[in-house]
Each structure stands twice: as C-alpha cells, then as structure tokens.
C-alpha cells in the first residue's frame, strides 16, 4: 500500500483531505515476462512511483514501442493537434472489444467513426439530458427505497448496487422504461462475465503480428457475447413492434437516425452502438459512484460538506434538473473521484505513420498512451496530488489545471459523447442517495484498485447502509 509520503508530497492533514491507497512497485526494471504477468493481474501494476512525475516515457515490449504522454503539452500534441495520426485505438483495445461491440464508435476509426459520431453524438448530446432526467430520478428513487427496506446498517456490496443502478438507468434510457426493466440484469451479468474473462494483454499485437491473425477466445467470452446478442436482438425487435410507445429512448434515436446521405443505420450497426452506449454508460458510472462512496466513507469533513449542500438546496425533496447546477460541491466530489480513480485509466492509440512528439521520433505502429491514472496524480501538475480534496474543483479553475491535465472522459475529437449524460447521472445518483444514507465501509476491509478494461475497487465494496442521522 503506497501513500502520498512515498511520492515525497506534503502529508500534513488539511480539512477534507484523505490520502487513498494505490498499488505501485519499486523502480526496478522487470523482465518482459514479469511485466506482462503484472499487467495481466492489473494494468496499474506496471507503473513505478517515478512514472507519476515523468512528462514523457518511452519503453519497448517485445517488438512494440510504447510512448506515454504525461504532461498537458504532450497530451494536447498527440490527442488533439495530431489526432489524425493517433485516431486509431490500440490493437489491444480493438481486439479486446470487437467481439463485444463490433465496429461500434468506441473502437472504430476513419470514415466509419466519422459517420457514426455524427449520428450517435446528437442522440446522447447534453441537450437531450433533460429528457432522460425523469428516468434517471425514477430509477434512483427505486434503488433508494430498496435500500430503506433492508433496514438500518444493512450489509451491502455497494459496487454491485451501483452496477445494477447504472445498468437500470442506461437500459431504461437506451431501450425505454419497460424494456429496460425486463433486460437490465441479463445484460449486466453478461458484460461482467465478458470483462472477467477477456485477456488484458494481446501478445500477438506486441509481437506486431497482423490483425487478421485470429485471437483465441474462450467459451466463457463466446457465451457472454451470444447472450448479449440475443438480448439486444430481442430488445430491438420488441421496440420496433411497439413502435417505441412515444417514449424518448436511444434505440428509437438510432432506428430513426440517418447519415449525411440519408441512409439509416444497419441492424448490426444499431446493435453495436447500443452495446457501446451500454458499456460506456453503465460500467464507468458504476465504478465512479462506488469509488465516491468509498472516498466519502474515509473523509468525514467532505461528507459533512456534501450533506450540508444537499440540505440547503433540496432539504425536503429530491433534486430536479435545474438543481444540478446548484450542487457544485456534489459535482466536485464526482470530479475529484474521477481524478483519483479515472474509470478508463489508460487511453491508447496506434500511430498510423512516422511522427515526432515533443521532438522524439515515434515510428509508425507505435502505441501512444495518455494514462489518466498517472496524469491525474502527477505531483508536478497537482498540489497534494494523492489527497481527496473536492475543493480543488470549485470555481472555474478546474483544479488549477489545463484541460489537458484532466481527461477522465478522454480529450480531443474522441472525447466521450456521453460526458454530460454521465456527469448528470453521477451527480444525481450521489445527491439522491446521500440525502437518505451515509454508507460506511465495513471495518477491516482493504480496498485496492484493480484495472482490467475499467478501474474497479476490487471485486466488491462491502459497506453498511447507515441512514442519515442514524
């Protein structure tokens, strides 16, 4: 367990400050096999303590060169100014997700990505969030009632609870209220199985073997994909047969959408984009909320200030959409959680031609990475970088950082299209549940971050559901 003192930071306590643990290893160069073994257990395990403060790193694994951008200048250069060179996701990411989402927006590139982005972005744009807000609030209220029915101090796996909550929200907004209720649990279980079994390291890609060489997939992965295919096909067919019922939903938007040439999306494209939106909107938000509950349980002064804001803005009712802008501290808790525990801790792209970044040669085929896990804790960018201090996100300074130093939703043209949806969902969920409950971590529980496709607090987060004022 490594704390801020190991990085050489000031560890004197400040109001609202909590120093969360994170895994690290000594600055000893492991062998390639040791490095691959570490990465297979958790992608965070490969970084040494000095990695957090280095602005630029180059390493070679097998036959593949990797470059890590860890400063606002290099992030902007690679992912914004030179987006056309680094638009393609890494082979590892593509091969890990293609069985699940096909040519969906998250892994596509070139003309396919451009056309899909033009279609999908307006469907989940910030301007559409108010229409989805009632479904979010309704679903959160149901989860809160279920918590209340368990009784005071009920032991609860909050990670699982947040997974089911966000799955219900995303299912109901993608598929409509009734279809979302019917299928949410099935889709969640299938996605969880998929992530549990997918390999984190693509050895063939590190050896620079061509993409057309098939990657071996176990029966568990094929079974999970088949279950998701079956559910999505049933949902799309059910929606078409009901003509949507006049309800706002993402599926309805995808079915009605036309590209710039007036062509509708194919059935497979609709299925793939629905899978992308579910994956991005469910898993990442669930992890963010789970981490927020963990951090709040360790920082009483932050929790007290959060409760004070909620009691002042909505003392005897749930927040309405207009209240979200009046909950800056609640949002700051979410943003600080995203800084410390970014749900996608590694963003990796493949260079499509020879280039230079910061004057360093980057050969074609190299992997260029922005690692929010490192960038967000870089002590040269963030004061008290390893402390949980939501106050740094109050006001208009974004923690005092360039926007290229804080990238929980990626940056540049490939920034997450559902950013506003996800932030609103997170703030509303935290606000509605924290009005009634103050979850406390089970004594003796050791929480350590584990990164596979996303960053999770292990496999479970055992807490007690303490009612407010109890």
């Amino acid at each position: 367990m490594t704390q801020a003192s190991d990085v050489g930071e000031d560890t004197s306590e400040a109001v609202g400050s909590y120093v969360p643990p994170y895994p690290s290893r000594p600055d000893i160069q492991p062998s390639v096999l040791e490095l691959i073994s570490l990465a297979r257990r958790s992608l965070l395990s490969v970084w040494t303590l000095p990695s957090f403060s280095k602005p630029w790193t180059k390493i070679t694994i097998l036959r593949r060169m990797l470059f890590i951008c860890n400063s606002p200048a290099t992030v902007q250069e690679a992912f914004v100014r030179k987006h056309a060179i680094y638009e393609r996701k890494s082979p590892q990411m593509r091969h890990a997700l293609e069985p699940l989402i096909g040519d969906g927006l998250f892994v596509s590139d070139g003309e396919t990505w451009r056309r899909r982005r033009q279609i999908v972005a307006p469907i989940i744009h910030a301007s559409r969030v108010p229409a989805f807000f009632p479904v979010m609030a309704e679903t959160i209220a149901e989860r809160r009632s279920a918590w209340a029915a368990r009784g005071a101090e009920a032991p609860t796996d909050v990670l699982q609870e947040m997974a089911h909550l966000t799955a219900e929200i995303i299912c109901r907004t993608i598929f409509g209220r009734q279809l979302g209720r019917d299928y949410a649990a099935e889709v969640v279980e299938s996605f969880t199985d998929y992530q549990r079994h997918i390999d984190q390291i693509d050895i063939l890609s590190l050896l620079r073997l061509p993409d057309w060489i098939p990657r071996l997939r176990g029966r568990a992965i094929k079974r999970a994909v088949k279950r998701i295919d079956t559910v999505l096909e049933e949902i799309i067919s059910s929606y078409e047969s009901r003509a949507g019922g006049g309800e706002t939903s993402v599926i309805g938007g995808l079915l009605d959408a036309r590209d710039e040439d007036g062509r509708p999306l194919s059935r497979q494209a609709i299925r793939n984009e629905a899978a992308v939106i579910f994956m991005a909107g469910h898993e990442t938000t669930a992890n963010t909320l789970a981490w927020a509950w963990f951090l709040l349980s360790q920082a009483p002064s932050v929790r007290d200030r959060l409760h004070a804001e909620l009691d002042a803005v909505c003392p005897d009712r749930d927040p309405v959409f207009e209240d979200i802008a009046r909950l800056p501290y609640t949002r700051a808790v979410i943003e600080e959680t995203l800084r410390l525990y970014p749900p996608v801790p590694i963003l990796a792209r493949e260079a499509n031609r020879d280039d230079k970044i910061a004057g360093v040669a980057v050969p074609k085929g190299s992997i260029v990475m922005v690692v929010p896990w490192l960038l967000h804790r870089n002590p040269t960018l963030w004061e008290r970088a390893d402390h949980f201090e939501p106050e740094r996100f109050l006001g208009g300074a974004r923690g005092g950082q360039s926007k290229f130093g804080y990238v929980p939703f990626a940056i540049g043209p490939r920034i997450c299209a559902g950013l506003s949806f996800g932030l609103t969902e997170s703030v509303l969920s935290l606000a509605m549940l924290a009005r009634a409950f103050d979850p406390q971590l089970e004594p003796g529980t050791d929480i350590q971050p584990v990164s596979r496709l996303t960053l999770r607090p292990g496999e479970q987060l055992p807490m007690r559901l303490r009612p407010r004022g109890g």
Side-chain angles (χ1 to χ4, degrees):
M1 181 180 297
T2 304
Q3 303 238 347
S5 56
D6 297 307
V7 191
E9 289 200 47
D10 174 18
T11 57
S12 58
E13 284 303 309
V15 175
S17 178
Y18 165 69
V19 186
Y22 62 87
S24 63
R25 60 181 179 82
D27 191 19
I28 300 173
Q29 185 62 37
S31 69
V32 170
L33 291 179
E34 289 171 333
L35 198 62
I36 290 172
S37 178
L38 286 169
R40 278 183 164 152
R41 289 198 296 270
S42 174
L43 293 173
L44 304 185
S45 302
V46 303
W47 310 113
T48 65
L49 289 175
S51 301
F52 290 87
S53 55
K54 290 180 180 178
W56 177 247
T57 303
K58 179 176 74 172
I59 59 176
T60 300
I61 300 180
L62 298 181
R63 297 178 59 200
R64 184 81 67 168
M65 295 182 68
L66 283 73
F67 296 82
I68 297 94
C69 302
N70 196 40
S71 70
T74 54
V75 170
Q76 182 180 18
E77 182 176 1
F79 276 27
V80 181
R81 291 198 290 109
K82 295 181 176 179
H83 162 72
I85 300 175
Y86 303 105
E87 70 163 345
R88 196 179 198 205
K89 294 295 179 78
S90 68
Q92 161 62 32
M93 184 63 72
R94 286 186 279 109
H95 288 299
L97 290 177
E98 278 175 353
L100 185 65
I101 62 176
D103 64 353
L105 196 59
F106 193 81
V107 295
S108 62
D109 54 69
E111 187 65 12
T112 298
W113 176 84
R114 188 185 66 81
R115 285 180 176 270
R116 295 282 180 81
R117 179 83 180 195
Q118 288 180 338
I119 289 174
V120 173
I123 296 173
I124 53 176
H125 187 263
S127 62
R128 301 292 300 275
V129 173
F132 294 128
F133 191 88
V135 178
M136 293 181 188
E138 168 191 284
T139 311
I140 299 164
E142 290 175 11
R143 182 65 47 174
R144 186 178 58 196
S145 295
W147 281 13
R150 297 178 187 178
E153 304 292 333
T156 301
D157 180 357
V158 171
L159 176 60
Q160 184 182 57
E161 287 291 307
M162 294 302 97
H164 283 281
L165 169 62
T166 59
E168 284 281 351
I169 290 173
I170 202 69
C171 276
R172 294 185 195 184
T173 51
I174 292 178
F175 309 134
R177 279 182 171 87
Q178 187 54 53
L179 291 175
R181 287 189 179 94
D182 293 345
Y183 291 103
E186 176 74 7
V187 178
V188 167
E189 185 177 337
S190 300
F191 271 82
T192 300
D193 282 346
Y194 186 90
Q195 182 167 193
R196 184 182 297 120
H197 291 100
I198 195 67
D199 197 345
Q200 299 303 293
I201 300 296
D202 184 354
I203 299 296
L204 297 185
S205 294
L206 292 175
L207 290 170
R208 303 207 52 173
L209 296 178
D211 284 345
W212 55 261
I213 295 179
R215 271 58 177 175
L216 298 178
R217 306 295 183 197
R219 284 182 294 179
I221 292 174
K222 294 177 181 177
R223 185 167 57 247
V225 171
K226 184 175 181 180
R227 289 172 67 187
I228 293 170
D229 282 341
T230 300
V231 169
L232 291 176
E233 179 58 35
E234 289 179 1
I235 288 172
I236 295 170
S237 297
S238 297
Y239 189 94
E240 288 176 322
S241 67
R242 294 166 41 159
E247 186 178 27
T248 299
S249 72
V250 173
I251 280 288
L254 291 173
L255 286 165
D256 294 339
R258 298 294 183 271
D259 67 15
E260 58 195 14
D261 298 322
R263 297 176 300 186
L265 286 173
S266 68
R267 186 62 161 252
Q268 188 64 37
I270 292 171
R271 177 258 178 235
N272 290 346
E273 298 308 336
V276 168
I277 294 169
F278 183 91
M279 179 191 70
H282 147 60
E283 174 78 9
T284 57
T285 307
N287 293 346
T288 299
L289 286 167
W291 281 118
W293 290 119
F294 164 69
L295 289 168
L296 287 167
S297 75
Q298 305 301 297
S301 60
V302 175
R303 192 167 66 243
D304 290 346
R305 186 168 179 179
L306 170 68
H307 290 160
E309 179 176 84
L310 296 173
D311 293 345
V313 174
C314 42
D316 54 4
R317 61 173 175 81
D318 285 328
V320 296
F321 180 73
E322 290 72 21
D323 288 326
I324 297 299
R326 295 194 282 268
L327 295 170
Y329 195 74
T330 310
R331 178 179 173 125
V333 169
I334 294 298
E335 290 185 310
E336 177 72 340
T337 301
L338 287 166
R339 183 184 72 83
L340 287 169
Y341 296 108
V344 182
I346 299 175
L347 308 171
R349 310 282 175 80
E350 182 179 10
N352 61 26
R353 65 174 174 83
D354 291 344
D355 186 40
K356 288 185 177 181
I357 296 179
V360 177
V362 178
K364 178 181 179 180
S366 299
I367 303 302
V368 172
M369 298 190 292
V370 173
V371 183
W373 174 253
L374 301 179
L375 187 70
H376 293 180
R377 292 174 180 258
N378 185 334
T380 68
L381 302 178
W382 301 89
E383 291 186 8
R384 301 166 64 83
D386 298 300
H387 288 241
F388 174 54
E389 297 178 0
E391 291 77 10
R392 75 175 86 234
F393 283 96
L394 295 178
R398 288 186 63 86
Q401 290 304 308
S402 158
K403 66 180 180 179
F404 305 107
Y406 179 71
V407 293
F409 297 96
I411 196 71
R414 296 200 75 133
I415 194 168
C416 176
L419 185 157
S420 293
F421 183 105
L423 269 179
T424 301
E425 178 187 5
S426 297
V427 171
L428 181 62
S429 297
L430 185 63
M432 288 183 63
L433 294 174
R435 284 189 66 242
F437 292 94
D438 179 17
Q440 295 295 306
L441 190 68
E442 287 279 12
T445 303
D446 179 31
I447 298 299
Q448 291 290 339
V450 175
S451 174
R452 291 183 66 76
L453 293 177
T454 57
L455 180 57
R456 313 180 85 193
E459 294 302 318
Q460 59 181 355
L461 181 59
M463 305 187 83
R464 294 275 176 170
L465 298 179
R466 179 178 299 170
R468 282 279 305 278

